Amino acid sequence: LMAKKLVIVESPAKAKTIEKYLGKDYQVKASMGHLRDLPKSTIGVDLENFEPKYIPVRDKQPLIKELKADAKKAQIVYLATDPDREGEAISWHLKELLDLPDEKAKRVTFNEITKNVVRKSIDNPRAIDQNLVDAQQARRVLDRMVGYSISPLLWSKIKRGLSAGRVQSVALKMISDREKEIDAFIPQEYWTMDAHLTVPGQKKPVAFNYKGNIDGAEDAKALKKRLSGKEFIVTDIKTSTRTKKAPLPFTTSTLQ
């Protein structure tokens, strides 16, 4: 009997459909999300080297055992977790956890679950994208470094059970810094002057503003008195065209 090819996806619902599309040579199993993660009770990161210390998810032990046995029997293991940063990391964890050599582990992604796409993807596997995996790990490590350091402070100062996140903590600091800037701001008086001038042959007056410093109310009054009723001559006209694009939507990092 030819050894089966094992395909591991995240959701059991997808597993059934994909198995139907691929036929009898393929066995399709679901990992039900992450099988390895950082421990809940401790920070789980070696802060000297930024090394995460992963442990198998506690209630997933039977599933891990089952997948290990299936992977051992299979010729090839297709890691078909979701096509995103999290999915890439789950594939990498599976490869590590199931002890799969590079030549046996193939990464595939399905952008849609249709017979055509599923078969095409299986025919065109790739290696795990380590950059995406590293991005996901960096996020998890930051979550821990921020959360596990700041949350206990919140418990002692505000109330138990609160958690500090890597995004909201930064956002709150920005709000707090801005508030301090507002409190420290010393207002200074400044004056502006506009003139509405009538142009021969035009019904509406044209608005101009005074370019120069005006030191206080007395200066403003004297300037107004000096300029009122005078004739003005236009000596230079500049025209320019500008294109204004809508600002790009924020990503987490540009927002921070």
Side-chain angles (χ1 to χ4, degrees):
L1 193 87
M2 194 183 121
K4 283 195 170 187
K5 293 166 183 174
L6 176 65
V7 180
I8 305 174
V9 294
E10 283 180 54
S11 94
K14 280 183 191 167
K16 285 195 174 66
T17 315
I18 291 165
E19 195 161 61
K20 200 171 69 198
Y21 291 153
L22 291 174
K24 63 179 190 329
D25 288 338
Y26 293 85
Q27 180 185 19
V28 186
K29 285 288 186 76
S31 76
M32 326 276 276
H34 276 278
L35 294 179
R36 268 200 332 181
D37 202 1
L38 298 171
K40 279 197 168 71
S41 53
T42 61
I43 191 163
V45 178
D46 165 6
L47 295 177
E48 288 292 300
N49 307 299
F50 295 106
E51 273 297 318
K53 301 185 187 111
Y54 297 110
I55 57 164
V57 175
R58 198 180 299 153
D59 53 358
K60 297 268 182 86
Q61 297 286 15
L63 178 59
I64 293 169
K65 203 175 164 186
E66 195 183 307
L67 287 174
K68 272 185 176 170
D70 292 333
K72 212 171 186 159
K73 282 183 281 187
Q75 279 177 323
I76 295 177
V77 178
Y78 292 97
L79 303 166
T81 51
D82 292 355
D84 55 20
R85 182 173 64 182
E86 212 60 42
E88 205 69 24
I90 293 174
S91 276
W92 176 78
H93 280 299
L94 280 165
K95 183 176 182 288
E96 300 283 308
L97 199 56
L98 306 178
D99 237 349
L100 301 173
D102 286 356
E103 60 279 5
K104 189 170 172 173
K106 308 279 184 202
R107 173 77 170 118
V108 292
T109 55
F110 308 129
N111 292 321
E112 53 182 70
I113 309 297
T114 57
K115 193 170 191 172
N116 208 1
V117 168
V118 167
R119 290 192 156 173
K120 206 172 166 186
S121 298
I122 289 286
D123 289 341
N124 297 284
R126 59 172 174 83
I128 288 171
D129 182 343
Q130 198 55 43
N131 286 342
L132 266 186
V133 175
D134 291 346
Q136 191 272 350
Q137 294 198 82
R139 202 204 64 150
R140 287 294 286 132
V141 168
L142 278 175
D143 271 339
R144 285 300 172 104
M145 286 171 71
V146 175
Y148 278 59
S149 314
I150 304 177
S151 298
L153 192 67
L154 291 182
W155 303 340
S156 66
K157 300 287 180 198
I158 303 167
K159 75 169 207 204
R160 278 204 75 78
L162 292 174
S163 70
R166 104 198 110 82
V167 178
Q168 74 205 30
S169 302
V170 177
L172 277 169
K173 178 169 181 356
M174 288 166 77
I175 293 166
S176 161
D177 286 350
R178 180 55 57 89
E179 195 62 32
K180 284 176 187 160
E181 275 175 39
I182 292 167
D183 289 343
F185 178 73
I186 299 158
Q188 282 172 324
E189 186 181 321
Y190 74 97
W191 288 71
T192 60
M193 186 171 290
D194 292 328
H196 296 273
L197 307 178
T198 48
V199 179
Q202 281 196 25
K203 282 182 185 171
K204 281 185 173 175
V206 181
F208 292 86
N209 63 335
Y210 177 73
K211 292 270 188 270
N213 295 328
I214 304 170
D215 302 318
E218 292 306 311
D219 198 17
K221 278 179 192 156
L223 189 62
K224 186 181 175 187
K225 197 173 175 184
R226 203 166 81 236
L227 298 177
S228 288
K230 294 279 190 296
E231 268 199 7
F232 291 84
I233 298 162
V234 175
T235 59
D236 189 19
I237 293 175
K238 285 195 185 103
T239 54
S240 62
T241 311
R242 282 193 311 165
T243 310
K244 200 172 178 192
K245 287 183 179 160
L248 288 169
F250 285 122
T251 61
T252 304
S253 53
T254 55
L255 173 62
Q256 289 181 350

